[in-house]
Amino acid sequence: MDIDKLDIDSFLHKTPTDLDPKAGNLLIAAPMMLDRNFFRSVILILDREDNGGHLGLILNHKLNATVDALVADWKGTERMPLYNGGPVELDRLFMLHRLGTIIDGSIELLPGIYTGGDADQLRDYIASGAETEGMIRFFFGYSGWGPEQLTKEIIEQTWAVNTAPDPVDLLRGSGEEYWRREVERMGPDYRSWLSIPAHPSLN
């Protein structure tokens, strides 16, 4: 074996552990993905449709805007950053939260992470000045895949799948730091991803 040659494929690419992610799973973008929509992204799968399609939200892409730009009549939203959930249906607002025990009608996606619920209770929580970082996050648009499209991308090593993410920090942090944290949680098999620098054209 020529030790001067680096097998980039084996260095970066790992055998996929799950080819058909379910609601509550995380997708972590491979470091060489250069698509501006998904560069260094971490996506929570919200739904796996019967036809094999998937719907999810990018968790770590913060926009240069706050939530009050869309819900100006909700006191306190001016201190809450808005996030880019993905490039599909940019006229839709989505929300994730960790308030399932106090917001009636919340739907649990994975232990400790919820969507939906009573809007008046949610508005009152925000207006009270209670902690929102790590507790509530609003997203503009979503990410979607047609039937079997995501499975194909996982086979092509575009994504790593975490089937049991830690919910505690899912709504805390953003950007590359967030991506690196979730890569680290994938364990030593993915440690090599952290040594790949961001593509200079995307800086």
Side-chain angles (χ1 to χ4, degrees), residues 42-58:
V42 179
I43 297 177
L44 178 65
I45 296 296
L46 302 183
D47 187 32
R48 193 275 189 191
E49 299 171 335
D50 291 340
N51 66 1
H54 292 81
L55 183 152
L57 292 173
I58 302 172

Side-chain angles (χ1 to χ4, degrees), residues 94-105:
F94 295 83
M95 176 199 58
L96 298 174
H97 63 84
R98 300 192 64 222
L99 305 172
T101 59
I102 63 174
I103 303 295
D104 295 338

Side-chain angles (χ1 to χ4, degrees), residues 2 12 19-20 45 74 87-88 91 97 103 106 116 148 173 201 203:
D2 187 346
L12 289 178
L19 298 178
D20 188 15
I45 296 296
W74 282 31
V88 183
D91 58 347
H97 63 84
I103 303 295
S106 299
E148 311 303 329
S201 68
N203 287 338

